[in-house]
Amino acid sequence: MAKDQPNVSDLVALLGSTDLHELEQVKNLLQETLSADKGTMLLNSLVEYFLETSSSQAVDILSSVREPHDKYLLDKMNECMGKQSCRLSTITLLGHIVRKQPPWIHKIARFPLLASLLKCLKSLMIINILKQ
């Protein structure tokens, strides 16, 4: 990363700013960086930030990702579904993204994330049946 560019984690943390002008600048910079970036570091940081904070700003950015980042996003969310501690937040994020209807929404059915979600729901159904 160039020396004149801020650290990714510093930028993501600024999504919690109460200064609307600064917040808009940070969102624009993150979206530009995400569009130009071929890696997954920023995307992963945004997902982790959402899981920790439930930030609506992070949802806005994550639901506006374009190809090929949609694959990376769905892979990261699938990874998070495997961790019980962040499963609910991941399902919440998925719900937000589905409601925003990004152009790649149809791809969700072909990714392992859907199978993980169904497995989770199936486990919950079995637990509820056993409790009765």
Side-chain angles (χ1 to χ4, degrees), residues 1-110:
M1 190 174 272
K3 289 186 179 194
D4 60 336
Q5 290 182 324
N7 185 324
V8 167
S9 58
D10 293 340
L11 279 176
V12 171
L14 288 173
L15 286 174
S17 174
T18 56
D19 180 346
L20 295 179
H21 180 69
E22 179 183 48
L23 185 59
E24 196 60 37
Q25 286 181 326
V26 169
K27 279 179 60 177
N28 289 337
L29 183 56
L30 285 170
Q31 286 175 328
E32 288 172 17
T33 305
L34 193 57
S35 295
D37 189 17
K38 300 299 182 212
T40 61
M41 190 168 101
L42 175 56
L43 187 72
N44 290 343
S45 295
L46 283 166
V47 171
E48 293 294 332
Y49 182 77
F50 174 81
L51 296 177
E52 293 171 11
T53 65
S54 298
S55 167
S56 61
Q57 306 304 324
V59 169
D60 287 343
I61 295 169
L62 290 169
S63 62
S64 67
V65 299
R66 305 255 186 252
E67 293 181 17
H69 292 96
D70 58 327
K71 178 190 181 320
Y72 304 141
L73 174 60
L74 295 174
D75 286 343
K76 177 65 176 174
M77 290 173 66
N78 186 51
E79 176 188 317
C80 293
M81 283 293 290
K83 301 173 191 169
Q84 188 173 3
S85 62
C86 60
R87 198 170 287 151
L88 180 59
S89 295
T90 304
I91 293 170
T92 302
L93 176 58
L94 179 60
H96 285 301
I97 290 171
V98 168
R99 278 192 298 277
K100 297 271 185 168
Q101 298 186 359
W104 45 265
I105 193 170
H106 65 279
K107 293 182 179 182
I108 292 174
R110 296 188 305 224

